[in-house]
């Protein structure tokens, strides 16, 4: 049903209002839950530190949820509400045209860093380059939003809710197609990084198996990577649907649900759940010798460990090749162990 193009509320029939409420609920829940998750990453002493690229991904969905709900916050979301002002519509349209490219770039950078940690190649970046990479999603957002703003001011009659039922949108196919093509290309790159990551894990598992050693690869890690990869691949399909059926509700419902998926993937980690269960005492921490023998450079791109006191102040230290057991503990903190500071 949601793949069928819909022109307005009349053609959507009785399903219009329920779908609107579902769409608003998805976005609102994603904003609230992801903000709680980000604050947990940043402030909780019971949670190991996360790499900024992971926090970046969460924040892009927070921003997109806020942009999507501008009509809701302004009391103009329901069809029975007064029509939104032209300035509100143009503001929402301009901001929304940058969220898909922003998402894709943020996830690409996250996967790039994870692949560097898993493969042990060592992504050597100075502080300046690191800031540029972390700022790339927001720069992408700015460029597409600026283009949408210029076109919206030039063609204000094309900015309304008739093109999209849930929010204000600009009916200008060249810009929509450019955004979809850019997002598709970046998502294709993300899929390739996911494939390289899977191959790296497989080679590691095979070599250690031949040596008669424990593989050390946690099943939860594989499930998280696989689930995220499938979701990104599905996003590519939805992106193609949006190019050929720009009034379909499928992309809107998918992207509204994407924030909740991100929350479930990263909030289900053991140390996060332990931090939220504040009434429970921490279990005794056991650190294996392998955990304390890693080089200081390992923590520079770590997604789940604190930086040691004697580590360099920038991101330029090289990364030693991690063993699979460290991968599960450090990248995703799947075992819920706090790492001892060397």
């Amino acid at each position: 049903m949601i793949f069928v193009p819909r022109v307005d509320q009349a053609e959507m029939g009785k399903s219009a209002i329920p779908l609107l409420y579902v769409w608003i609920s998805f976005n609102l829940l994603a904003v609230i839950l992801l903000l709680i998750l980000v604050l947990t990453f940043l402030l909780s002493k019971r949670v190991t530190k996360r790499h900024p690229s992971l926090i970046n991904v969460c924040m892009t969905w927070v921003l997109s949820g806020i942009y999507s709900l501008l009509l809701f916050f302004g009391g103009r979301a329901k069809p029975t509400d007064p029509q939104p002002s032209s300035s509100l519509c143009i503001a929402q349209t301009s901001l929304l045209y940058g969220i898909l490219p922003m998402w894709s770039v943020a996830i690409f950078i996250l996967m790039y860093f994870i692949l560097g940690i898993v493969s042990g190649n060592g992504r050597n970046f100075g502080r300046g380059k690191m800031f540029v990479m972390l700022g790339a999603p927001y720069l992408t957002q700015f460029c597409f939003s600026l283009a949408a703003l210029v076109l919206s001011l030039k063609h204000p009659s094309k900015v309304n809710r008739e093109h999209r039922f849930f929010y204000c949108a600009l009916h200008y196919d060249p810009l929509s197609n450019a955004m979809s093509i850019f997002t598709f290309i970046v998502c294709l790159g993300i899929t390739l990084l996911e494939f390289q990551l899977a191959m790296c894990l497989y080679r590691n598992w095979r070599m250690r198996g031949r040596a008669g050693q424990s593989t050390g690869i946690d099943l939860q890690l594989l499930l998280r990577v696989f689930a995220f990869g499938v979701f990104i691949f599905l996003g590519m399909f939805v992106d193609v649907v949006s190019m050929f059926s720009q009034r379909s509700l499928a992309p809107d419902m998918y992207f509204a649900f994407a924030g909740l998926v991100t929350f479930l993937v990263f909030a289900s980690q053991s140390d996060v759940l332990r931090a939220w269960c504040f009434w429970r005492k921490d279990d005794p921490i056991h650190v294996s010798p392998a955990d304390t023998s890693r080089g200081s450079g390992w923590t520079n791109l770590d997604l789940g460990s604190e930086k040691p006191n004697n580590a360099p102040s920038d991101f330029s230290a090289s990364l030693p090749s991690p063993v699979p057991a460290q991968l599960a503990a450090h990248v995703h903190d799947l075992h819920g162990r706090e790492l001892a500071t060397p």
Side-chain angles (χ1 to χ4, degrees):
M1 179 179 66
I2 62 176
F3 286 94
V4 179
R6 304 177 188 278
V7 177
D8 51 28
Q9 182 187 359
E11 293 193 15
M12 293 175 66
K14 295 181 179 180
S15 63
I17 300 301
L19 285 174
L20 175 63
Y21 288 156
V22 170
W23 183 82
I24 291 175
S25 299
F26 281 166
N27 280 290
L28 192 59
L29 280 174
V31 170
I32 295 173
L33 294 176
L34 284 173
L35 277 177
I36 294 174
L37 181 61
V38 169
L39 290 176
T40 302
F41 286 157
L42 296 176
L43 302 178
S44 177
K45 296 181 179 179
R46 304 178 71 183
V47 174
T48 52
K49 299 300 181 183
R50 280 354 188 237
H51 191 267
S53 60
L54 174 57
I55 298 177
N56 241 19
V57 169
C58 296
M59 286 306 302
T60 56
W61 261 287
V62 170
L63 292 176
S64 66
I66 294 174
Y67 300 158
S68 300
L69 295 173
L70 286 181
L71 294 185
F72 172 76
F73 295 142
R76 299 292 188 269
K78 295 184 294 185
T80 55
D81 293 331
Q83 287 296 316
S85 64
S86 176
S87 58
L88 178 59
C89 254
I90 290 177
Q92 184 181 49
T93 297
S94 303
L95 292 171
L96 287 179
Y97 263 87
I99 62 174
L100 291 184
M102 177 177 63
W103 284 348
S104 59
V105 173
I107 296 174
F108 180 88
I109 292 174
L110 172 64
M111 294 307 304
Y112 180 77
F113 280 118
I114 291 179
L115 180 61
I117 293 174
V118 173
S119 63
N121 291 332
R123 309 297 193 193
N124 298 329
F125 295 107
R127 188 177 296 272
K129 290 184 179 180
M130 178 66 72
F131 287 157
V132 169
M133 294 194 70
L134 295 178
Y138 307 106
L139 178 61
T140 305
Q141 152 88 52
F142 174 79
C143 292
F144 277 93
S145 293
L146 180 61
L149 176 61
V150 171
L151 291 172
S152 297
L153 293 175
K154 187 176 181 180
H155 307 285
S157 60
K158 294 185 177 182
V159 181
N160 50 57
R161 292 187 65 181
E162 295 178 2
H163 186 55
R164 293 286 192 184
F165 174 66
F166 297 140
Y167 49 85
C168 294
L170 171 66
H171 186 40
Y172 192 81
D173 292 342
L175 180 60
S176 300
N177 292 336
M179 178 188 66
S180 298
I181 292 172
F182 176 88
T183 304
F184 179 84
I185 293 174
V186 178
C187 286
L188 183 61
I190 295 171
T191 304
L192 294 177
L193 290 178
E194 289 269 0
F195 179 77
Q196 292 183 45
L197 179 60
M199 292 300 297
C200 183
L201 290 172
Y202 173 74
R203 286 195 298 266
N204 205 334
W205 169 79
R206 190 173 181 180
M207 286 188 298
R208 293 180 67 86
R210 287 179 176 178
Q213 301 175 354
S214 173
T215 60
I217 297 178
D218 196 288
L219 180 60
Q220 293 187 46
L221 171 61
L222 297 180
L223 290 177
R224 290 181 196 278
V225 172
F226 178 76
F228 215 60
V230 169
F231 194 74
I232 295 301
F233 186 79
L234 180 60
M236 294 173 59
F237 171 74
V238 174
D239 191 54
V240 172
V241 170
S242 68
M243 284 191 288
F244 293 98
S245 181
Q246 295 193 6
R247 292 189 179 184
S248 170
L249 293 183
D252 294 332
M253 300 304 293
Y254 171 86
F255 294 126
F257 187 63
L260 290 177
V261 171
T262 304
F263 172 80
L264 292 174
V265 169
F266 296 113
S268 58
Q269 294 173 298
S270 58
D271 65 330
V272 175
L273 296 176
R274 189 172 62 249
W276 289 342
C277 297
F278 56 87
W279 59 89
R280 298 181 58 183
K281 295 182 179 180
D282 290 334
D283 296 329
I285 299 172
H286 303 285
V287 181
S288 64
D291 291 333
T292 59
S293 62
R294 69 189 189 281
S296 61
W298 166 258
T299 59
N300 288 341
L301 296 179
D302 197 351
L303 298 178
S305 66
E306 294 184 356
K307 188 174 181 179
N309 295 330
N310 60 349
S313 59
D314 57 16
F315 297 96
S316 60
S318 60
L319 290 171
S321 178
V323 296
Q326 292 173 344
L327 171 64
H330 298 304
V331 178
H332 286 280
D333 192 37
L334 297 176
H335 299 296
R337 296 177 178 176
E338 300 285 349
L339 302 180
T341 302

